[in-house]
Amino acid sequence: MEPRAGVSKQDIREQIWDYMESRNLADFPRPVHHRIPNFKAFKMARTIKVNPDAPQKNARFFVLDSKKTLLVPTPRLRTGLFNKITPPPGATKDILRKCATSQGVRNYSTPVGLDSMVLVDLVVVGSVAVSEKGWRIGKGEGYADLEYAMMVSMGAVSQGTPVVTIVHDCQVVDIPETLLEDHDLTVDYILTPTRVVTTGCARPKPAGIVWSKISCEMMGKIPVLRSLRCREEQAGKDVTLRDKHRSLPGARAALSTVRSPRELPSLESGSVPGEDVPSSTVYVGNLPRDARVSELKRALSARGAAPSRLTWQGPQRGAFLHYWDPAEAWQAISRLQGFCLGANTARVALARQQGASGPAGGRAGEPHPDP
């Protein structure tokens, strides 16, 4: 099956999805549009890291059945990067098959932290389309590319780590090289129901996270990405985000402190006046009862997270940190991971907008702690 001339990545995706639907080549879930297509004849892949999509369920089962360590990225990276799947002792094949499902991944997994020093020997990814040269097109959300880049950043993979994709024969098509970007992941092997293709792809794989491709919105959705950004920034790398807004020279005011008025609602009621851009405000809670605002300022400056303005909530053991834009707010959250003041580990979260019908009769447009 050959794609039309002058096509885009989305054109190729739609062509593959339409073809598989019209010929009933895909198993559940249906329809295949906007999914990695599943099919009935998987070949066994000796692997360690396998993506969490339904089409790779059999690949995950084969890994467990061969007593390999199975790492599965968390769906959409919401709660971390990896989960290690650990079947119960004496697990039968039926139980292993359950462990390989999305429900099993939730029930039999433990998180793998960034400091775990894990090494991935083989990477299995899904694809919508792939060429014999090793060029790959996914669903269009970029998670496989980002997962790999994050693994590079944490030292889990290298350029020599083989990457495999498992597809139906109809998904192997010609892909114009002009569609590829530097952050796109290529594959070394293609497994189909009828053959194994060694691509011999010489195109370099992503060398790490391209921060200029990352949006503030994505940073907000993926906590582990914020942690990696903080590490790379401390290592002196350029971590400027795609939609980072730069302040005009001289526009920053000196750091000021706004002490909460006597009538300020408590932390439980959740509101605080004085800011109408909640995504640029960070809440820091669980501070020591005897903490002083000057002490907090010094600690924030030492972490490189000094805000443009600070709203102090001493009696409620917290403070609101106001930054110039969302990118600065997320940068501060990354830098304040594990932040301690005195003997207390602080709670750090983005403040949310309180609606007109918010708690305790708060006014519309007021930020409050994100629960």
Side-chain angles (χ1 to χ4, degrees):
M1 159 177 197
E2 300 300 326
R4 302 180 302 277
V7 297
S8 66
K9 286 184 178 180
Q10 188 60 27
D11 291 332
I12 294 175
R13 292 184 188 108
E14 294 291 344
Q15 188 175 356
I16 295 292
W17 285 325
D18 290 343
Y19 183 89
M20 298 191 76
E21 279 293 330
S22 65
R23 287 159 179 78
N24 197 33
L25 294 175
D27 285 341
F28 179 83
R30 299 288 290 275
V32 298
H33 292 71
H34 306 290
R35 300 180 185 274
I36 298 293
N38 198 359
F39 53 90
K40 298 167 184 172
F42 277 104
K43 286 184 177 285
M44 187 175 103
R46 295 181 63 85
T47 182
I48 291 179
K49 178 267 173 188
V50 184
N51 71 302
D53 295 307
Q56 270 63 56
K57 179 178 65 176
N58 285 347
R60 294 192 293 272
F61 165 72
F62 287 134
V63 174
L64 295 174
D65 194 40
S66 59
K67 295 180 171 52
K68 300 288 186 181
T69 299
L70 174 61
L71 299 178
V72 179
T74 59
R76 298 183 178 271
L77 304 174
R78 285 186 293 260
T79 58
L81 179 54
F82 287 134
N83 281 317
K84 178 181 177 181
I85 312 306
T86 307
T92 64
K93 287 185 182 293
D94 286 342
I95 293 178
L96 291 181
R97 291 188 186 279
K98 291 180 181 178
C99 291
T101 65
S102 57
Q103 184 64 44
V105 168
R106 288 191 291 270
N107 293 342
Y108 297 99
S109 67
T110 54
V112 177
L114 295 178
D115 297 318
S116 61
M117 304 297 290
V118 64
L119 294 177
V120 176
D121 299 314
L122 189 67
V123 175
V124 175
V125 296
S127 301
V128 172
V130 65
S131 77
E132 293 190 3
K133 295 182 179 180
W135 303 339
R136 169 190 170 275
I137 295 177
K139 291 179 289 189
E141 297 176 333
Y143 283 104
D145 303 322
L146 182 57
E147 289 163 5
Y148 184 88
M150 293 169 73
M151 287 190 286
V152 172
S153 294
M154 65 182 288
V157 297
S158 66
Q159 286 289 329
T161 305
V163 178
V164 176
T165 191
I166 306 173
V167 297
H168 192 275
D169 290 276
C170 74
Q171 294 171 257
V172 183
V173 300
D174 289 334
I175 298 175
E177 188 173 8
T178 55
L179 297 182
L180 270 65
E181 300 183 62
D182 291 342
H183 65 274
D184 286 333
L185 178 62
T186 57
V187 303
D188 302 294
Y189 300 96
I190 304 169
L191 276 63
T192 82
T194 64
R195 58 180 175 149
V196 176
V197 178
T198 302
T199 68
C201 184
R203 186 183 179 92
K205 294 182 175 64
I209 300 170
V210 182
W211 293 106
S212 60
K213 298 284 186 180
I214 305 297
S215 66
C216 290
E217 180 183 8
M218 185 175 292
M219 289 287 290
K221 293 178 179 178
I222 305 176
V224 68
L225 195 58
R226 302 197 295 269
S227 297
L228 282 171
R229 183 170 182 252
C230 183
R231 292 183 179 206
E232 296 206 353
E233 184 178 39
Q234 291 173 348
K237 296 184 179 180
D238 183 0
V239 295
T240 304
L241 301 180
R242 184 178 68 199
D243 44 5
K244 165 71 175 176
H245 302 294
R246 296 186 179 275
S247 300
L248 294 175
R252 287 176 178 257
L255 174 63
S256 62
T257 302
V258 179
R259 293 187 178 271
S260 300
R262 186 178 303 274
E263 66 272 14
L264 183 69
S266 68
L267 175 61
E268 286 72 27
S269 67
S271 64
V272 63
E275 180 64 53
D276 60 359
V277 186
S279 60
S280 301
T281 303
V282 174
Y283 177 74
V284 178
N286 194 38
L287 301 178
R289 295 185 183 280
D290 58 351
R292 294 178 174 271
V293 65
S294 58
E295 180 185 11
L296 176 61
K297 284 184 182 179
R298 286 194 299 270
L300 293 173
S301 296
R303 286 267 187 153
S308 61
R309 184 163 57 87
L310 186 152
T311 302
W312 180 243
Q313 283 192 308
Q316 288 79 34
R317 302 171 59 193
F320 285 87
L321 315 179
H322 307 283
Y323 295 91
W324 287 102
D325 55 41
E328 279 198 353
W330 283 119
Q331 184 179 69
I333 290 174
S334 294
R335 291 178 175 179
L336 295 175
Q337 294 297 308
F339 175 60
C340 294
L341 194 66
N344 290 28
T345 299
R347 173 192 168 200
V348 181
L350 194 69
R352 294 187 297 111
Q353 184 83 11
Q354 177 176 301
S357 59
R363 299 189 306 274
E366 295 176 343
H368 61 290
D370 199 359

